[in-house]
Each structure stands twice: as C-alpha cells, then as structure tokens.
Amino acid sequence: MSSNERAPIGVIGVGWVGLVTAACFAELGHEVIARDVVEEKVESLRRGEVTIHEPGLVDLIARNSDRLHFTTDMAELLNRARLLFVCVDTPPSYSGDADLSRVRSVMADIKDDGDHVLVMKSTVPPGTGETIRRDLPGLAYVSCPEFLKEGSAVEDFMHPDRVVIGASDRDQAAAREVADLYRPLGGELVMTDTSSSEMIKLASNAYLSTRISFINEIANVCEEVGADVTEVARGMGLDQRIGPQFLRPGIGFGGSCFPKDVNALKLLAGNSGYHFQLLNAVIEVNELQKRRVVSKLVRHLDSLVGKRVALLGLAFKPDTDDMREASSLVLSARLRGEGAEVVAYDPVARENARTLLPGVEVMVTAEQALEGADAVVLVTEWPEFRDLDWAGAAASMRRPLIIDGRNFLDADAMRQAGFTYEGIGRPGVGTERE
Ligand code: UDX
C-alpha cells in the first residue's frame, strides 16, 4: 500500500511540537491533518504563514502544502485520521505540577470507539498513560515523547538519536504501527512500557539539566582556584563515559522544557513520597547562576545605581525567539533592582522582549544598545555577535567592560579591542598576563 492510500495522520495541537511533527510527517510522504482550537492560527497556517522561528520549517510547510491540512474541526480530524498525535502543551500549574487540562480536553473530545490510536507527544507525568487507558479502554494508547531541540527541531526530527515508544501489552500492535512511521528515520527504537517511556523523557531532561548545573558549579570553583573551566570540560568530555555534550557553563539554562521538567520530576517524586534531593540543588544552582553576573558587575563598577548595562541576546538560546525561562528575564530584573538602567538587543526576540521586559529599553541594533553603556553582558550566544565591530563598540561605550555569560567570544581579541573581559569560570583568560 502506498503512503497516499493510508489514512492521514492526525496531529492535535499545532504549537511548536505539533507543527514540526505535522510538517515532517508530510515531508516523509504522509497525508497529515493538523487541528488547533485557535482559529486565527489555523487561518494563517492555511495561508502558509508560519510565525514560529524554526530553521527549515517555512520551506518544509511550503513544499508539502498539498499533504498538510489545517483545521479547527475535531470531528473532521476524528473521521479521517486514525493515528492521533497529541501535541498540546502541558505548562506548569501554580503548584509546579504539569497542567494537564489541555490533554484532558482533547480526551473529552475523542470518542472511546476502538477506532483510534492516541500517540502522546506532550510531556506528561509518568502514570498519565495508564490513567487515560483506564478511562478510555476502547482507545489504543502509545507514549512517544519528543526530544526536539528548539532551533534544530526539523533536523532532530529527521535524524533522531532514538525514538521512544511505550505501550501496554494490549496496545503492542498500535506501538508497532507508530514504530513503522519512525523507522525510516534511522534512530534506535526503544520499545517499552508506557510509564517507563514517560519517565525516559523527564529523566533525560533532568539529567541534562543536572550536567549543566554541575559544570556551572565547577566553573564557579574554577573562578576561586584559578582554573579554566573550558579546559576542564574538554578534559572531562574526552572520557567516553562522560562525553563532551552539555558541559558548557554559562548563566543558567532556560527554555520551555528543562526548568519545567526538572521541577515536575521533583514534584512528582515528592507527591509519591520520595524526596529528590539532587534536583533541588540543580534548580537552586541554576537560579543562583543567573544572578552571579550581578556580583561580577558590582565588583567592577562598585555600585550599579545609575549605571547603564547592555544585555546582548534575550532569547533562552540562539536561533529562537523563545524567551520562556530565559536568563535575561531574571538578570534584567535583578539589574533594575540594583538601580541599573538596562538596555538590550536580540536579533529575533525583540517583540517578545518589549512585552516581557518592562522598563528595559529594547534597541533595534546591537550598536545602539552598546553606545554609552558602562558594561555589556553577553546573555545569549547568537553567532552574529562574533562579527560585531567590537573595537568600535568599545570606543562608543562609557566603560568597555564585558561579562561573556556564555564564554562565546575570543577573550584575547576582546582585550585587544579595548575591553576588560570576564567569562564564566575562566579567571585568567582575557586579562593582561605577565
Ligand atoms: C531541550 C532538550 O534538549 C530537548 O531534548 C527537549 O525536547 C526540550 O528541551 P531546548 O529547550 O530546545 O531542548 O534547548 P537545549 O538546546 O537543550 O538548551 C536548553 C538550555 O540549556 C538553554 O538555555 C542552553 O543555553 C542551556 N545549555 C545547554 C547550557 O547552559 N549548557 C549546555 O552545555 C547546553
């Protein structure tokens, strides 16, 4: 049977995960119906307008427009599609636990008619799949967590390290059907039970966050003892048991997943009576790491009252306009709390920043942000920051001081450009050496 003769794939929730999933399945030759409750979003997607900043996505959607259908109509989706990929968001609730109200409202719409396979892409607490299966026994349920990174989501979808598929014994046929969809992509298939699959997602994000908080603490100790954390990370990463990834120190991790998932796992453990001590430290280290820059500035400038501090990069990482849990949010508020005047620049997150950073002047160019500043903090490592005319910037600043929050720039070149340079965990680097 050719792919065109198969029933279309249904995608419920056309946010970032849903849109990438829909577009990539269409690229693989499948007919896809994607449904969202927000009418304006569906209308603009039908016109081919994509508001999400994700490399390659606009082209993918345009190239596959004949196989991609957007609708608000759940009945249409349920009539035509059998495999339903649930991609609604599960944001933190006031308690910090995942808010499953959108998942529940999808469940309320789906008939328990034995015809559909529900594939859960949304991040849900372990145990959720079992509960849904009990509530909707006629539905086949497959957990298939997503591991896409913002900024490389299309690439990650097409070349996964692994695809995790969890299902109960009863739903093994549905699990194999989902596995067949992902098989052409070549990643290792991890076939497991539902709760383990759900746990793999949370544990992976919690582990990666732990690595970041770990290397951030090592960086802080390096500052005390005169070691260079980038050398330390390089030396550690060559041990195959450790590996080089996710050992970049900085001013804290952010984004829509890590902070939320670490906290959700901590709370989930707590709810079931287990005190997950390590994750408390991971969270606390991350919070403190965002603030350490303030003490660095104070050390150089004495008081921050009336000082003009420029933030370069506001998104939680490069190649996205996403500012959820970005270090820039905490940092700008702390700086303003110290009496500083904060100006900022980001290549794509400008509009988001204007709403999210009250009292911060968001400039149209990096040069404007730097002009007249007493210090600049590189918060997000956008590649274009490497090519700035740093000597010109130094000359335009009131005081050419830079705290490189991502160890991104060449310290010696910055010093030659006239800057006092300080990175994270690299006390001797960028200073005048004897
Ligand atoms: C993450 C997971 O990587 C992905 O598998 C999951 O599906 C969603 O969450 P994402 O949030 O897009 O993806 O960002 P990622 O590239 O993983 O970075 C997260 C944060 O960690 C960023 O703020 C980044 O700056 C920070 N980071 C990452 C570090 O501080 N140091 C590192 O070594 C790596």
Side-chain angles (χ1 to χ4, degrees):
M1 190 190 273
S2 90
S3 57
N4 287 337
E5 286 161 329
R6 287 197 296 249
I9 291 174
V11 173
I12 302 175
V14 194
W16 175 80
V17 174
L19 192 54
V20 172
T21 303
C24 289
F25 276 136
E27 173 78 359
L28 292 175
H30 300 280
E31 195 85 13
V32 178
I33 309 182
R35 182 260 185 183
D36 202 281
V37 280
V38 182
E39 238 163 75
E40 303 85 78
K41 191 193 281 180
V42 169
E43 283 305 321
S44 55
L45 285 168
R46 279 180 175 158
R47 289 193 299 270
E49 291 163 18
V50 183
T51 47
I52 297 167
H53 181 88
E54 191 60 50
L57 188 59
V58 175
D59 287 351
L60 212 60
I61 290 172
R63 195 158 64 232
N64 293 290
S65 57
D66 54 336
R67 279 194 290 269
L68 262 175
H69 312 282
F70 297 101
T71 182
T72 52
D73 187 353
M74 191 67 151
E76 182 193 348
L77 181 111
L78 294 176
N79 278 337
R80 295 187 53 204
R82 213 171 62 74
L83 289 175
L84 309 175
F85 283 73
V86 178
C87 303
V88 295
D89 59 341
T90 51
S93 62
Y94 285 127
S95 65
D97 301 282
D99 173 359
L100 297 180
S101 56
R102 293 181 182 91
V103 172
R104 289 205 191 91
S105 92
V106 170
M107 295 305 133
D109 284 339
I110 297 176
K111 284 184 246 97
D112 191 8
D113 53 10
D115 276 352
H116 291 105
V117 176
L118 198 138
V119 189
M120 186 60 77
K121 297 299 290 175
S122 303
T123 302
V124 294
T128 305
E130 287 300 316
T131 312
I132 293 174
R133 272 192 59 231
R134 267 198 307 276
D135 292 349
L136 300 173
L139 196 75
Y141 185 94
V142 178
S143 158
C144 182
E146 63 81 21
F147 298 98
L148 309 177
K149 297 185 291 297
E150 289 187 27
S152 59
V154 171
E155 184 65 19
D156 292 347
F157 186 102
M158 293 298 187
H159 305 284
D161 290 345
R162 76 329 201 162
V163 176
V164 176
I165 296 175
S168 64
D169 291 345
R170 190 200 68 182
D171 294 332
Q172 285 305 307
R176 281 194 296 276
E177 222 177 311
V178 176
D180 288 344
L181 286 179
Y182 282 99
R183 212 179 301 278
L185 302 175
E188 177 121 12
L189 289 174
V190 181
M191 308 295 288
T192 184
D193 63 278
T194 318
S195 293
S196 301
S197 166
E198 292 163 339
M199 192 67 184
I200 288 170
K201 165 72 184 194
L202 284 188
S204 299
N205 277 356
Y207 175 71
L208 291 169
S209 307
T210 304
R211 275 178 76 105
I212 300 171
S213 278
F214 177 84
I215 201 67
N216 280 336
E217 290 221 278
I218 294 291
N220 299 343
V221 178
C222 283
E223 288 179 4
E224 300 302 322
V225 301
D228 180 344
V229 70
T230 55
E231 293 298 304
V232 175
R234 186 163 68 93
M236 285 172 62
L238 288 167
D239 184 326
Q240 289 193 13
R241 294 168 302 175
I242 299 175
Q245 307 253 29
F246 274 74
L247 284 180
R248 277 181 286 114
I251 50 176
F253 59 79
S256 64
C257 284
F258 282 178
K260 161 175 92 85
D261 290 350
V262 178
N263 204 37
L265 182 53
K266 175 193 127 169
L267 293 171
L268 176 89
N271 293 344
S272 54
Y274 181 72
H275 178 58
F276 204 145
Q277 288 204 55
L278 182 60
L279 293 187
N280 278 326
V282 170
I283 295 165
E284 189 181 0
V285 168
N286 196 46
E287 284 314 305
L288 294 175
Q289 199 69 11
K290 298 175 188 173
R291 295 154 185 259
R292 271 176 72 86
V293 175
V294 176
S295 14
K296 289 188 177 189
L297 289 171
V298 169
R299 201 165 8 88
H300 286 280
L301 301 173
D302 286 335
S303 157
L304 297 185
V305 177
K307 301 280 165 44
R308 189 176 163 95
V309 179
L311 303 184
L312 278 194
L314 301 168
F316 85 94
K317 65 175 195 177
D319 270 330
T320 174
D321 62 351
D322 195 340
M323 285 185 59
R324 280 177 287 180
E325 302 285 338
S327 297
S328 61
L329 298 168
V330 171
L331 186 55
S332 60
R334 276 293 300 122
L335 289 169
R336 293 190 68 234
E338 291 290 321
E341 181 196 340
V342 183
V343 291
Y345 168 75
D346 188 282
V348 306
R350 271 197 299 279
E351 287 317 309
N352 286 347
R354 291 206 169 99
T355 12
L356 291 170
L357 300 179
V360 172
E361 203 178 344
V362 182
M363 302 303 204
V364 177
T365 65
E367 289 77 8
Q368 281 171 3
L370 294 170
E371 197 177 335
D374 291 285
V376 49
V377 181
L378 190 140
V379 184
T380 313
E381 65 279 32
W382 282 96
E384 67 176 64
F385 294 154
R386 279 220 171 95
D387 304 326
L388 279 182
D389 168 15
W390 284 107
S396 79
M397 288 174 70
R398 200 172 325 162
R399 185 177 167 142
L401 165 65
I402 180 156
I403 309 290
D404 182 352
R406 302 289 170 187
N407 290 341
F408 181 64
L409 301 167
D410 181 328
D412 289 330
M414 290 306 286
R415 191 160 56 79
Q416 270 156 26
F419 274 90
T420 302
Y421 175 94
E422 188 170 337
I424 307 292
R426 312 182 73 195
V429 175
T431 53
E432 193 86 54
R433 274 165 280 189
E434 299 293 306

